[in-house]
Amino acid sequence: MRVLLVNDTDKPIADLQKALRQAGYEVLPQVAGGGLLKAVQDLQPDVVILDVDSPSRDTLEQLSMLNRYAPRPVVMFSADGDEALIRDAVGAGVAAYVVDGLAPARLAPILRVAMARFEQQSHVRQRVDELEQKLLDRKDIDRAKGLLMDRRGLSETEAYAALRQQAMKQGLKLADVARRILAMADLLG
């Protein structure tokens, strides 16, 4: 497993690197606080570990961008246990926020928990995306049915049957046929 270390503290992290290597992780070249998204895109780590005194707004913004464009499990070690900061960090995509120090024996379990939580969040995010798409599809189908009912004087059942028949004839999804009808209606006014 490939680990990217990001350190924006003055303390050396050689002990952390050593503990990671002993636990069987491949430690990628260390990255300074800036350019996190680019570093993740270039190096393709499996997990990102941040060692910070206190997460700054800039760090949280970078984590948010990372979570949006190149999601990875993120573990943050921090000296700051402020509840609002922890919430902000978790909201920005941090899977595990560890306050005050790191015992090498705890490192592997912390990483496993972070990865499991990240995987769970990914499944939830994927399911939400699917449900949102189904809702959009349903709205488009209902709007297309409404157009057919208005313009062709069909009942709701007949409009749905017409959409369905067109979808089968063209080998398309019902929602795609509905979107084509809506686009054509917009074009024709």
Side-chain angles (χ1 to χ4, degrees), residues 1-2 8 16-17 21 32 41 47 62-63 102-103 108 131 134-135 138 142 153 157-159 161 175 180-181:
M1 185 163 318
R2 298 163 47 90
D8 73 356
L16 178 56
Q17 291 172 328
R21 286 190 182 101
Q41 289 172 331
V47 65
Q62 287 188 55
L63 287 172
L102 161 70
L131 291 173
K134 283 182 180 182
L135 181 60
R138 186 78 242 155
D142 287 343
T157 304
E158 291 169 332
R180 286 183 177 186
I181 289 171

Side-chain angles (χ1 to χ4, degrees), residues 81-102:
D82 179 71
E83 192 172 321
L85 271 177
I86 293 171
R87 279 197 190 128
D88 289 345
V90 170
V94 172
Y97 189 102
V98 181
V99 180
D100 281 332
L102 161 70

Side-chain angles (χ1 to χ4, degrees), residues 19-20 23-25 77 102-115:
L20 286 165
Y25 296 100
F77 292 99
L102 161 70
R106 292 178 46 212
L107 185 59
I110 289 170
L111 289 176
R112 284 194 300 271
V113 166
M115 293 176 71

